[in-house]
Amino acid sequence: MRAILAIDQGTTNSKAVLVSEKGEIVGRGSAPVGITYPKPGWVEQDPRRLYASVCEAIDACLKAAPDVIVEAAAISNQRESVTAWDAETGEALGPVVSWQCRRTAQDCERLIVEGHLDRVQALTGLPLDPMFPGSKFRWLLDRMPAGRSVRLGTVDSWLVHCLTGGRRHVCDASNAARSQLFDLQEQRWSKELGEIFGVDIALLPEVLDSSADFGRTQGLPGVPDGTPIMAAIGDSHAALFGHGAFKPGDGKVTFGTGSSIMTTLPRFIPPRNGVTTTVAWRLGGKPTFAFEGNILVCAASLPWMAGILGLSDVAALVELAASAEPGGPGFVPAFVGLGAPYWNSDARALFSQINFNTTRAQMARSVTDSIAFQVHDVIAAMRAQSGGELGALYVDGGPSQNRFLMQCVSNLIEHPVIQCEAPEASALGAAYLAGLSLGLWSDLHVIAELPRSSHIIDPEPVDRAVLLNTWSDALARSTSRETTANDE
């Protein structure tokens, strides 16, 4: 059997899957990446360990399906995480500065004070926030060893560099669109943005379509040298593509460490209301645009709360939460500030409206409900901005497999969600794009018709007004900043 090897490089794990010509997954493998927190608000990874985890995941995947012949490779990757390496030796010259990292918050504030916010947002569709790479690239450049020939890139470009033995310095348009250095309308690196952030755009990779020739493998264990890499795309974009969300208004929610909510657009629409505009994918030189809302902390709050309550695992936490009626205390998971649609780096995690009658189950429920509340607010902002109807809404990622959590989401947004049985939506999307390059599938219609196992969860009636009032009160407390001795 011939198949496409799809690499899904995530924040906590690297995964590899083999996708057949029928669109079926015939092999899986995964390996942990590792993540460190050197200072409060700082989040980083070792680029060498990141690539090693990819190799380990591929090895496990190939061993699970020893009779499969790899026809091509494809990449989906964590976005907004960036690194630097030596162009001549390939040596990593810094950490992977994670998308979660807030180390450049003051740099972003300075750029806002200097009056760059509107221009940056107009060109890139993104706010000035430390989640995005512009200021992170500058941080890396400020710490480069003297005399080195430097390359800068997002995770897809680092992986292509490694997979091709250093022969290619490229990325795809979806990852470039998240860099804050890419002009969405012109579809090219912007010298003006480079000057704003202090980044020489000559150090950045060549931008290709999401379905394109990214080079040939060299020295990848278990994979023949010369195997073509035929697709690369950001993981959230890949999930949108993997679901077949090709009609305007169709969307998806990816639940993971954080969460990404995307809806496909009929054309470029400038961002407002706290959501961003981005390139969903680019085919034949033509970009498809999407709205996106990035939630910084989603499922990451669940194991934290399980530990606080002395529970064995996340499953026990969700079971406890499901035993409580909605409407207890509020909880805001602003451990690293808040992303869309609030974009508040100073917000703080907190519980609100706790009293002597508050139970452990209610505390657990407030944490699980915070996932649904954040999704509600992003969806509401998208609806207000687009003026169109929300179409099919798919959910993916580990938490999407839990019926209770997804029912809470459906109830709050008053819209059905489509629960997909295969959790590898990002890997499938990357594989489908590679299949387009190879001619395995002729067009988007054929991909949309590929078999997918799913289950529709319809909304149930709840007292949304009461629930949203509790959430709004908690948000207000989280985002209010009173000067204390610790702040001075």
Side-chain angles (χ1 to χ4, degrees):
M1 178 187 296
R2 306 184 71 85
I4 295 169
L5 174 65
I7 300 162
D8 181 16
Q9 201 298 300
T11 306
T12 55
N13 293 285
S14 292
K15 301 176 183 177
V17 302
L18 289 164
V19 182
S20 74
E21 294 182 14
K22 296 180 180 179
E24 299 172 340
I25 293 175
V26 295
R28 293 177 171 89
S30 66
V33 180
I35 193 164
T36 57
Y37 307 89
K39 295 181 181 180
W42 288 37
V43 187
E44 66 185 41
Q45 295 172 300
D46 182 344
R48 293 156 297 190
R49 172 57 206 160
L50 186 147
Y51 179 60
S53 72
V54 167
C55 293
E56 292 166 11
I58 291 172
D59 180 64
C61 180
L62 295 176
K63 287 179 177 177
D67 296 330
V68 168
I69 298 172
V70 176
E71 188 162 350
I75 297 169
S76 76
N77 60 279
Q78 58 168 308
R79 308 166 308 152
E80 296 99 20
S81 298
V82 296
T83 193
W85 61 96
D86 190 298
E88 297 176 357
T89 67
E91 177 189 358
L93 298 177
V96 173
V97 183
S98 171
W99 60 272
Q100 293 179 299
C101 189
R102 313 300 287 177
R103 73 184 65 191
T104 60
Q106 290 185 345
D107 298 317
C108 292
E109 288 296 328
R110 173 181 54 80
L111 291 171
I112 292 171
V113 170
E114 291 175 358
H116 295 297
L117 174 60
D118 289 344
R119 185 59 177 162
V120 169
Q121 194 154 314
L123 291 175
T124 69
L126 305 173
L128 274 168
D129 185 89
M131 173 181 172
F132 301 107
S135 57
K136 295 173 183 174
F137 279 133
R138 181 66 255 171
W139 186 92
L140 285 167
L141 287 173
D142 286 341
R143 288 152 182 83
M144 288 298 100
R148 294 296 190 104
S149 178
V150 176
R151 284 179 174 173
L152 298 173
T154 44
V155 169
D156 65 323
S157 54
W158 167 246
L159 290 181
V160 170
H161 164 82
C162 295
L163 291 167
T164 62
R167 288 172 172 79
R168 299 297 301 275
H169 186 40
V170 293
C171 72
D172 100 293
S174 73
N175 279 288
R178 308 303 293 176
S179 69
Q180 254 180 352
L181 296 168
F182 190 70
D183 187 321
L184 290 189
Q185 298 273 36
E186 297 293 331
Q187 288 291 294
R188 59 175 174 78
W189 298 121
S190 166
K191 183 178 179 181
E192 179 184 353
L193 289 167
E195 291 173 351
I196 289 172
F197 287 100
V199 176
D200 181 359
I201 61 172
L203 307 180
L204 298 169
E206 177 187 358
V207 181
L208 306 180
D209 287 349
S210 306
S211 178
D213 186 347
F214 286 81
R216 300 293 185 271
T217 60
Q218 182 70 37
L220 178 61
V223 177
D225 286 351
T227 300
I229 304 168
M230 301 305 291
I233 186 170
D235 53 8
S236 288
H237 313 248
L240 190 70
F241 196 90
H243 289 305
F246 303 139
K247 297 177 183 178
D250 287 352
K252 65 89 199 180
V253 186
T254 297
F255 295 93
T257 303
S259 186
S260 164
I261 303 163
M262 300 182 80
T263 54
T264 307
L265 296 175
R267 64 190 183 284
F268 175 81
I269 300 177
R272 59 183 176 86
N273 295 336
V275 299
T276 65
T277 303
T278 192
V279 174
W281 49 79
R282 196 173 80 184
L283 299 173
K286 182 180 179 181
T288 293
F289 293 101
F291 280 149
E292 180 168 17
N294 301 100
I295 295 170
L296 301 183
V297 175
C298 177
S301 62
L302 301 182
W304 170 81
M305 192 59 188
I308 294 292
L309 293 177
L311 299 171
S312 58
D313 53 25
V314 168
L317 176 76
V318 175
E319 183 179 358
L320 179 63
S323 70
E325 293 295 323
F331 172 69
V332 181
F335 295 98
V336 289
L338 287 172
Y342 330 101
W343 296 113
N344 190 320
S345 294
D346 292 328
R348 295 294 179 265
L350 56 77
F351 289 94
S352 68
Q353 301 188 32
I354 297 173
N355 56 52
F356 282 122
N357 293 320
T358 301
T359 66
R360 294 171 76 248
Q362 288 176 321
M363 296 287 284
R365 179 71 187 254
S366 68
V367 173
T368 59
D369 279 353
S370 70
I371 294 174
F373 284 126
Q374 291 184 98
V375 172
H376 166 273
D377 289 359
V378 172
I379 292 290
M382 289 179 173
R383 281 170 161 165
Q385 183 170 349
S386 70
E389 292 296 322
L390 184 63
L393 185 64
Y394 302 89
V395 293
D396 60 77
S400 72
Q401 301 302 298
N402 186 278
R403 173 63 187 248
F404 167 72
L405 294 177
M406 295 305 101
Q407 187 68 64
C408 292
V409 170
S410 178
N411 294 349
L412 270 181
I413 66 174
E414 296 184 295
H415 191 85
V417 300
I418 304 172
Q419 190 180 37
C420 302
E421 291 183 10
E424 299 93 347
S426 294
L428 284 170
Y432 294 160
L433 285 162
L436 282 177
S437 295
L438 295 171
L440 295 182
W441 303 294
S442 58
D443 54 33
L444 299 187
H445 176 75
V446 173
I447 291 174
E449 294 300 316
L450 289 172
R452 295 172 175 84
S453 298
S454 61
H455 176 73
I456 297 176
I457 299 177
D458 291 310
E460 297 174 345
V462 294
D463 195 338
R464 294 173 69 256
V466 171
L467 299 178
L468 290 172
N469 281 339
T470 300
W471 169 247
S472 296
D473 174 71
L475 266 182
R477 296 173 188 274
S478 171
T479 55
S480 66
R481 293 286 287 152
E482 296 181 0
T483 301
T484 67
N486 291 331
D487 293 325
E488 295 175 345

